[in-house]
Amino acid sequence: MAAERAPSGEETGSPVPPAKAAPRTRRLIAGVDEAGRGPLAGPLAVAAVILNPRHKIEGLDDSKKLTEARREALYAQIVQRALAWHVVLVEVDEIDRINIFQATMAGMCRAVAGLKVAAHEAWVDGNQLPKALPCPGKAIVGGDALKPAISAASIIAKVTRDRLMCTLDAHHPGYGFASHKGYSTPEHLAALRQLGPCALHRRSFAPVKLLFDQGTLF
């Protein structure tokens, strides 16, 4: 990985000292997005990115529309050129405890709060705005394809999570996490039927919950 996962489950970066980040008259907009709301296993990754207008990055887009190789290339550019970036991992136990929606909202607040350069405003992908953001915010439907800062956050979050799931595959063999990243593919469901859930599985998500409640997936 380009950056080691911190003990707190967070990664952060700012290649430019805050005092020299940008002219004081410029409003700093943080793009915010997540990766991993839908999977049956693994943490949720949430990222916030403030792009540097002096160091533009070409080709930013919704991470889901990009190939893995393109995401990796853009990830490297973002962490090198952005004014600030921060990514947090919301672990499975918290997702199960407060539900995936609340976990997403909490992760977005933490990601923005963790930026080394304070944002004047946060643009969040989607139609829901976290109430506890440390700055004013705006929810933008389809923002990961419309706003470069949100696209950058989408890429940081997805690459971070995909890399982690590949690493965790070695610790939990047999499920295929490196290939499906925890999503409910036929391969993953078959492994759940055979092996049962592991520590990475979200107990509050069907069909994992059904496995506990009924002793079978179907």
Side-chain angles (χ1 to χ4, degrees):
M1 295 177 60
E4 292 296 328
R5 180 185 174 197
S8 62
E10 303 187 7
E11 295 177 10
T12 190
S14 179
V16 183
K20 300 179 181 179
R24 293 185 179 181
T25 56
R26 184 180 296 276
R27 285 184 61 79
L28 300 180
I29 306 297
V32 186
D33 203 3
E34 52 73 28
R37 287 187 69 167
L40 303 179
L44 174 77
V46 188
V49 177
I50 301 177
L51 293 174
N52 190 336
R54 297 175 180 174
H55 299 283
K56 292 186 178 180
I57 301 171
E58 299 295 333
L60 293 172
D61 202 346
D62 175 3
S63 64
K64 296 184 293 297
K65 298 180 180 179
L66 303 170
T67 65
E68 180 180 357
R70 186 61 181 149
R71 287 194 299 267
E72 287 283 350
L74 287 168
Y75 176 97
Q77 293 183 52
I78 294 165
V79 300
Q80 291 172 0
R81 300 182 187 180
L83 280 180
W85 61 276
H86 190 67
V87 59
V88 302
L89 296 173
V90 183
E91 300 295 346
V92 170
D93 58 348
E94 184 172 0
I95 293 171
D96 284 339
R97 187 173 70 252
I98 65 176
N99 76 50
I100 189 62
F101 173 76
Q102 295 299 336
T104 302
M105 296 296 103
M108 288 179 170
C109 294
R110 294 171 197 165
V112 175
L115 290 166
K116 289 186 176 179
V117 179
H120 296 115
E121 187 176 3
W123 291 351
V124 175
D125 181 56
N127 60 3
Q128 297 286 339
L129 194 66
K131 296 179 179 179
L133 280 173
C135 63
K138 179 189 300 183
I140 303 175
V141 176
D144 50 3
L146 298 173
K147 302 295 184 181
I150 302 180
S151 298
S154 172
I155 292 166
I156 291 291
K158 182 160 180 56
V159 170
T160 298
R161 188 179 188 279
D162 284 358
R163 289 177 176 180
L164 177 60
M165 293 305 292
C166 288
T167 298
L168 292 173
D169 181 76
H171 297 281
H172 301 276
Y175 294 96
F177 291 133
S179 61
H180 55 64
K181 309 301 188 293
Y183 284 88
S184 55
T185 63
E187 174 193 5
H188 190 184
L189 295 176
L192 266 175
R193 286 194 296 268
Q194 179 180 0
L195 304 173
C198 71
L200 291 181
H201 283 98
R202 301 173 181 178
R203 267 60 174 171
S204 57
F205 277 47
V208 181
K209 186 175 186 299
L210 288 175
L211 183 61
F212 278 98
D213 292 347
Q214 301 176 5
T216 178
L217 289 174
F218 304 102

